[in-house]
Amino acid sequence: MVHHRAPRRILAAGSGVLAALAGTAAGTAVATLTGAPSPVVAVGNAFVARTPGWLKDFAVRQFGENDKAVLLAGTAVVLLLVAAAAGWVGLTRPRVAVGIVVAMGLVALAATLVDTTTSARPAVAALAPLTTTVVGVAALLLLLEPLRSPDPLGPRPGDDLPSGFDRRRFLLTVLGTAAVATVGGGVTRLLGTSDAATSRAAVTIPPPASAAPPVPAGVDPLRGITPYVTPNRDFYRVDTALLVPDVPADTWRLRIHGEVDRELDLDFAALLDERLIERRITLTCVSNEVGGPYAGNATWIGVPLADLLRRAGVRDGADALKSTSADGMVIGTPLEAVLDGRDAMVAVAMNGEPLPLDHGFPARMVVPGLYGYVSATKWLVDIEVTRFSEFTAYWTERDWAEQAPIKLASRIDVPRGFESFPRDAVRVGGVAWAQHVGVSAVEVRVDDGPWQQARLAPQDGIDTWRQWSWRWDDATSGDHTLTVRATDARGVTQTSDRAEPRPDGSTGWHSVRFSVE
């Protein structure tokens, strides 16, 4: 009886994959111990840093807040495919296989050495990709060696394995390599606890000197409408950080310098000793398409940024703030928008708790009325008072506008696309925003009919959105299109002209198809 076994090339390709897993796990464990980025993350960070604007826009449109997971998954898939190819080639050309693994290691090393997301010294950070390379090469050669044994008698019956193939030896090598991968993963899991998470759990935010008013009565007027205050777990996240920067509060510092009379250097305790204010402020991402989800309203507590800048003494001629995050992201903010009386702040709390890790803990910027890419630096560590002519921010390098006030917008939350209503219960609603201006009216129309005034829920300031609702009392059966538009407090009505988010925000009316039974 002939026992058919996996062909040798398939075992070789699988060996390449297993060697790559072992090397990556070992390198990631070393990265965890040294505080450096793992090789896969370092390569991903390098890709993000060099991603052209059009590709970043595509990723946000197609994958939304999952764009980072897609990038990391794609990087892992490419790694495994190349590793499988190295194993396949290694049966007959082992030097070429080793060269492929070393080349991948050099790519990871180069990405690690230019990574701005870590404070680890280059010599220390280099240990992770070097470990990945050494373990990967060693595992690959050990796994391939039994498959490459001399074969004077030809292949075994039923497969192409050498007649001297030692199954037990090969299996032990596979198990040993798998053990390396498992141990590496275990080290990462056990020791990879975020210091920032531990630090955040110990933070107590003092009561603000100036509290926000109570949430107005009468908000959330319709089931299914976006809540007036967005829970932290539901608040949108759009940034370039593949992994959330690990910034403990007890080691965090904020430096304010540049065109100032005196530099400020604050640790977290000193920041909390400053005058704190509490405000509800709606944030919007410039990537938001018409009707998109990238807007949220939260209650923020923070230190007025104007207080800090006035203490530092801003010099004449400065027109910009160059803010930098712990992972090296650079954002440019118009200085005038911070000093004109609006509640711009260095925020330390969100909806009654210290900032969530993925929303900027320990501290971030919040500037009402500006899109986040020019105002909302997370994991904030540095503010330089300067001029726009002296630097180029991350997003402006990718052809986004230098200054970007949020555009008047409105959105339909109910109905969802192609939803059906009973004829006597057609109630619709959504949100509208004109941050730092305020919304004065919202209108809706069905098909090409006349515009109808919607009911506006209360708001507690011009920096928050307004919910709206409308009931169609004389609804007619069939398929219909609902369209919404808003008017701001200055009397400006939202334009129907459709524009993409690039370079300074989308415009156009939001419409939804629905049916009445």
Side-chain angles (χ1 to χ4, degrees):
M1 181 183 223
V2 176
H3 296 280
H4 292 278
R5 299 174 178 84
R8 185 165 53 156
R9 291 282 186 182
I10 293 178
L11 289 177
S15 297
V17 170
L18 183 57
L21 291 175
T24 301
T28 301
V30 171
T32 300
L33 294 171
T34 59
S38 73
V40 172
V41 170
V43 171
N45 285 335
F47 181 81
V48 168
R50 290 153 185 81
T51 298
W54 64 267
L55 184 55
K56 178 65 178 175
D57 299 346
F58 173 81
V60 172
R61 283 196 308 271
Q62 297 299 316
F63 308 114
E65 297 181 60
N66 297 315
D67 59 341
K68 304 167 192 64
V70 170
L71 174 58
L72 287 175
T75 302
V77 168
V78 170
L79 168 66
L80 295 180
L81 289 175
V82 174
W88 185 284
V89 171
L91 274 180
T92 55
R93 305 179 69 182
R95 292 184 179 179
V96 173
V98 170
I100 292 173
V101 176
V102 170
M104 289 194 295
L106 290 175
V107 169
L109 176 62
T112 300
L113 294 178
V114 299
D115 197 288
T116 60
T117 67
T118 177
S119 58
R121 297 191 307 274
V124 174
L127 292 175
L130 291 176
T131 299
T132 294
T133 305
V134 170
V135 172
V137 168
L140 181 63
L141 292 178
L142 286 172
L143 288 165
L144 289 180
E145 199 277 333
L147 299 173
R148 298 183 63 252
S149 297
D151 192 10
L153 302 179
R156 300 174 64 169
D159 58 35
D160 62 351
L161 290 171
S163 59
F165 178 68
D166 188 336
R167 181 186 303 173
R168 182 174 180 276
R169 176 186 174 189
F170 181 72
L171 181 59
L172 288 175
T173 305
V174 167
L175 292 176
T177 305
V180 171
T182 302
V183 170
V187 169
T188 301
R189 180 176 293 273
L190 290 174
L191 302 181
T193 303
S194 166
D195 291 334
T198 303
S199 171
R200 179 179 181 271
V203 168
T204 299
I205 304 297
S210 174
V215 173
V219 299
D220 303 333
L222 181 67
R223 184 176 182 181
I225 201 171
T226 300
Y228 184 67
V229 176
T230 309
N232 289 352
R233 66 180 180 277
D234 298 331
F235 208 95
Y236 76 91
R237 179 192 169 195
V238 178
D239 55 52
T240 63
L242 293 182
L243 293 181
V244 173
D246 190 10
V247 188
D250 53 359
T251 61
W252 175 89
R253 302 193 76 87
L254 173 63
R255 181 188 179 208
I256 300 177
H257 61 107
E259 294 294 320
V260 296
D261 295 330
R262 63 197 68 83
E263 290 192 9
L264 300 183
D265 191 338
L266 302 169
D267 61 18
F268 194 66
L271 187 68
L272 294 185
D273 284 339
E274 298 285 336
R275 180 176 74 94
L276 297 177
I277 61 173
E278 181 183 48
R279 299 290 185 268
R280 272 182 288 279
I281 298 171
T282 299
L283 301 186
T284 307
C285 179
V286 73
S287 300
N288 205 38
E289 302 277 354
V290 172
Y294 301 136
N297 187 44
T299 305
W300 307 92
I301 295 176
V303 177
L305 189 48
D307 287 3
L308 298 176
L309 294 177
R310 290 191 181 100
R311 188 189 311 165
V314 176
R315 295 173 183 165
D316 292 340
D319 65 3
L321 298 181
K322 175 186 175 184
S323 57
T324 305
S325 70
D327 63 348
M329 169 63 68
V330 174
I331 284 177
T333 305
L335 179 61
E336 181 182 3
V338 174
L339 299 178
D340 66 0
R342 71 185 73 190
D343 292 314
M345 66 174 76
V346 177
V348 295
M350 180 179 182
N351 289 335
E353 62 182 64
L355 291 172
L357 300 184
D358 55 358
H359 287 290
F361 180 84
R364 64 172 293 168
M365 280 176 56
V366 172
V367 182
L370 300 180
Y371 285 116
Y373 84 99
V374 297
S375 69
T377 311
K378 301 176 185 176
W379 313 291
L380 178 69
V381 295
D382 189 276
I383 297 175
E384 179 183 355
V385 180
T386 182
R387 301 172 179 83
F388 278 113
S389 61
E390 298 295 324
F391 75 101
T392 304
Y394 177 89
W395 292 110
T396 52
E397 287 179 346
R398 288 153 178 80
D399 300 326
W400 292 86
E402 190 173 72
Q403 303 188 38
I406 294 172
K407 293 182 177 179
L408 173 63
S410 54
R411 185 179 72 203
I412 300 167
D413 293 333
V414 180
R416 304 293 182 186
F418 304 104
E419 187 174 353
S420 295
F421 291 100
R423 185 171 177 178
D424 60 349
V426 183
R427 293 194 63 195
V428 303
V431 289
W433 57 86
Q435 283 99 317
H436 204 57
V437 177
V439 173
S440 63
V442 170
E443 300 168 285
V444 296
R445 73 178 182 191
V446 178
D447 302 324
D448 294 321
W451 288 101
Q452 307 282 339
Q453 287 290 330
R455 174 185 174 273
L456 288 178
Q459 67 175 4
D460 57 350
I462 60 174
D463 293 327
T464 59
W465 59 19
R466 296 193 77 170
Q467 298 167 316
W468 61 268
S469 60
W470 179 73
R471 178 169 182 143
W472 191 12
D473 292 320
D474 54 350
T476 58
S477 300
D479 295 332
H480 301 282
T481 299
L482 180 73
T483 304
V484 64
R485 70 181 184 185
T487 299
D488 69 19
R490 296 170 179 166
V492 176
T493 298
Q494 185 180 346
T495 180
S496 62
D497 294 340
R498 200 80 170 194
E500 295 298 316
R502 183 188 297 274
D504 59 358
S506 63
T507 62
W509 296 338
H510 186 213
S511 296
V512 171
R513 292 281 294 172
F514 71 104
S515 62
V516 177
E517 298 172 351

